[in-house]
Each structure stands twice: as structure tokens, then as C-alpha cells.
């Protein structure tokens, strides 16, 4: 009697179940994994808090008495309130570098390849990572608001509008983490991701109305600053916090006349565009 020996079937990568429920569950699982990692390495959070606190103190006391604000002139108190929305926005967008470095590190260690071999929803790894970064950014923003209150900043429009202002800031920060995710998937080392995540942020944040009014800039830079998505969120936060000087006149550009709507539109467009590119890159990254 002969025995027929069949060859073992080829091993295939498991498939995800699909659907919104699967995607949400997988994304939250990855987010939890990254949050636990942050808790086990507290210096990551501590060092992330030091830089924005230094910016608050340095800008408030070094430049506070030397920069003229439309409607208020050279006044340290007025500049401090004018400044804080810019510092808040800079802080949430600088989380981009951390997001890119974290994903690049996972790529370098081979974790991304392991995740792709699991039955997970497409994009859940990146969504979970960006959600964890959003939680860390929110924590940083809370600490920063406390420090800002100590140096004299106040929100004058009530709790609901203040929360709306912080919500717009966090939405912009979340949108920018998708840019960081794309950078992290596109480079070979975490160091390169950190550099790549910061090099374009400095011109973006400084060619804006975050630290000085656009009226103080050369005319060609005024247009760049006024259509900068960063500027729209900064001005929206200032309006919602009640931090605009009494005589302030917004520039004529549409985003400056409609900052809240412009901030929402810019953030939504950035998320849609860069999430699509990042997920596509994730599928083909090796």
C-alpha cells in the first residue's frame, strides 16, 4: 500500500476582518501600546515639556517689552496674551517630529513588518500611533496652560470658548502628526526623521502671525503668513481666548477674516491628504 504525501500549504499573511469596528479596535490597541511605552519611559514626556515652557518664559520676558502689537502698542502684558496662542500652536505642531521619529524607530526595529503580518485593519498602526501622540500633546498643552497662567496669560471668553480654542489647536497638532508619520515611513533612521520633522516646521511657524503681526513683515511674506494654516489656527485661538487687543484689525485675507472656519478646513485637508499618503506608504514600506 502506498502512502501519498501532500506538500504543506503555503503560509499566507492573515487578513483583517475589515469594517469600521475592526479599524477602531485595532487603532485603540496600538494607541494603548504606545501610551504604555510612554509611561514606562517618563523622560520622553518630561523632555517634551521642557522646551515649550522655556519658550513661554523666554518670549514673555525677553521680547515682551520690545514688540509692538496693533491696537496695543509696545506693552509687555498685551504681547504676553498675544503670544500664548502662538506658543500653544507651535507646541502641538512640534509633536510632528516625535511622531516621525517613533514610527521610524518601529521601522528600524522591524515592528512595522510584524504588525503588517497580523490580521489588522489597514492604517490602524498609524492611526493608533497618532492618537497616542495626540494624548501626549494634550498633556503638554495642559501643563503649558498652567505655566502661561502663572506668567500672566488669561482666557477672557469663558470656559466653552477656551475649550474650543484648545480643540482647534489639538486638531492642528493631530493633522501635523500625519505629516510626521509620512516622514517616519520615508526615512531610514529615527535621527533622520527627527531632523526631517523639524526642518520645515521652523519656517512654517515663524513665517506666521504666531510671534509678530504680519504687518511687521515684508509685503511678499505677509501673503505667505496670512495664508499659512498655522496662522489661521493661531488667530482662531486668539479670538476664542479673547486675547486680541481692543483695536486689532485682522488682515484682509480670507483665512484671517474667517480664522475658525479656515482652521477647521486646513486641518481637515491636511489629515485627508497626508493620511492617504502615509497609509499608502505603510503598505509598501519595507
Amino acid at each position: 500500500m502506498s502512502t501519498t504525501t501532500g506538500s504543506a500549504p503555503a503560509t499566507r499573511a492573515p487578513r483583517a476582518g475589515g469594517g469600521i469596528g475592526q479599524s477602531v479596535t485595532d487603532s485603540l490597541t496600538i494607541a494603548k501600546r504606545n501610551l504604555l511605552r510612554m509611561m514606562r519611559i517618563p523622560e520622553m514626556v518630561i523632555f517634551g515639556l521642557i522646551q515649550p515652557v522655556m519658550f513661554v518664559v523666554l518670549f514673555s520676558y525677553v521680547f515682551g517689552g520690545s514688540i509692538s502689537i496693533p491696537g496695543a502698542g509696545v506693552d509687555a502684558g498685551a504681547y504676553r496674551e498675544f503670544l500664548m496662542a502662538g506658543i500653544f500652536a507651535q507646541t502641538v505642531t512640534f509633536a510632528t517630529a516625535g511622531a516621525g521619529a517613533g514610527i521610524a524607530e518601529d521601522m528600524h526595529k522591524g515592528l512595522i513588518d510584524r504588525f503588517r503580518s497580523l490580521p489588522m485593519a489597514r492604517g490602524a498602526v498609524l492611526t493608533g500611533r497618532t492618537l497616542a501622540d495626540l494624548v501626549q500633546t494634550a498633556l503638554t498643552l495642559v501643563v503649558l496652560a498652567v505655566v502661561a497662567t502663572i506668567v500672566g496669560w488669561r482666557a477672557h471668553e469663558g470656559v466653552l470658548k477656551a475649550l474650543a480654542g484648545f480643540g482647534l489647536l489639538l486638531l492642528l497638532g493631530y493633522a501635523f502628526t500625519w505629516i510626521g508619520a509620512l516622514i517616519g515611513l520615508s526615512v531610514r533612521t529615527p535621527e533622520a526623521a527627527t531632523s526631517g520633522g523639524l526642518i520645515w516646521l521652523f519656517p512654517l511657524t515663524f513665517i506666521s502671525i504666531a510671534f509678530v503681526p504680519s504687518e511687521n513683515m515684508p509685503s511678499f511674506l505677509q501673503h505667505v503668513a496670512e495664508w499659512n494654516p498655522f496662522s489661521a489656527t493661531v488667530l482662531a485661538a486668539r479670538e476664542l481666548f479673547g486675547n486680541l487687543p481692543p483695536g486689532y484689525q485682522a488682515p484682509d485675507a480670507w483665512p484671517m477674516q474667517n480664522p475658525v472656519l479656515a482652521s477647521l478646513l486646513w486641518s481637515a485637508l491636511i489629515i485627508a491628504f497626508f493620511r492617504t499618503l502615509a497609509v499608502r506608504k505603510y503598505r509598501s514600506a519595507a
Side-chain angles (χ1 to χ4, degrees):
M1 184 177 67
S2 61
T3 303
T4 304
T5 303
S7 59
T11 303
R12 295 182 180 179
R15 295 182 178 179
I20 296 177
Q22 174 78 29
S23 179
V24 171
T25 301
D26 292 344
S27 298
L28 292 177
T29 300
I30 296 297
K32 180 180 178 181
R33 173 251 178 192
N34 284 283
L35 289 173
L36 288 173
R37 180 173 177 269
M38 291 176 189
M39 293 173 61
R40 290 167 183 162
I41 313 175
E43 55 266 29
M44 292 175 59
V45 179
I46 294 171
F47 291 151
L49 293 173
I50 292 174
Q51 179 177 311
V53 170
M54 288 175 60
F55 272 115
V56 171
V57 176
L58 291 174
F59 273 87
S60 297
Y61 293 106
V62 175
F63 300 108
S66 58
I67 295 180
S68 177
I69 303 299
V74 179
D75 180 85
Y79 180 69
R80 202 167 291 131
E81 294 212 337
F82 180 87
L83 167 73
M84 284 315 306
I87 295 292
F88 291 151
Q90 184 188 57
T91 299
V92 299
T93 53
F94 271 36
T96 301
I103 291 175
E105 183 180 10
D106 288 345
M107 286 282 294
H108 188 67
K109 292 179 177 179
L111 288 175
I112 295 296
D113 288 332
R114 296 180 191 175
F115 285 138
R116 287 192 303 179
S117 68
L118 298 175
M120 299 176 65
R122 297 175 180 178
V125 172
L126 301 181
T127 302
R129 174 77 206 198
T130 55
L131 288 175
D133 289 328
L134 180 64
V135 172
Q136 184 179 2
T137 301
L139 174 62
T140 304
L141 209 53
V142 169
V143 175
L144 199 57
V146 172
V147 175
T149 303
I150 293 172
V151 301
W153 171 78
R154 297 291 184 272
H156 303 287
E157 295 293 326
V159 175
L160 292 180
K161 285 192 175 182
L163 291 176
F166 284 119
L168 287 178
L169 290 165
L170 288 173
L171 181 63
L172 180 71
Y174 181 70
F176 275 49
T177 55
W178 282 105
I179 302 178
L182 180 61
I183 293 172
L185 290 167
S186 304
V187 298
R188 296 182 180 181
T189 65
E191 293 79 10
T194 301
S195 300
L198 288 175
I199 194 170
W200 59 275
L201 279 175
F202 280 103
L204 182 82
T205 55
F206 281 95
I207 305 177
S208 72
I209 63 169
F211 307 113
V212 295
S214 60
E215 291 88 338
N216 296 353
M217 302 178 186
S219 58
F220 72 97
L221 284 182
Q222 287 183 23
H223 298 296
V224 176
E226 291 163 4
W227 284 89
N228 186 341
F230 189 82
S231 293
T233 301
V234 169
L235 184 56
R238 283 181 183 143
E239 283 192 358
L240 293 168
F241 294 151
N243 291 158
L244 291 174
Y248 179 81
Q249 294 292 327
D252 292 333
W254 183 85
M256 299 292 95
Q257 294 293 319
N258 306 275
V260 174
L261 179 58
S263 176
L264 289 170
L265 289 175
W266 273 121
S267 295
L269 287 172
I270 292 169
I271 292 171
F273 182 74
F274 284 97
R275 187 184 188 279
T276 301
L277 293 181
V279 172
R280 186 176 300 173
K281 185 71 176 179
Y282 169 79
R283 293 174 186 169
S284 61

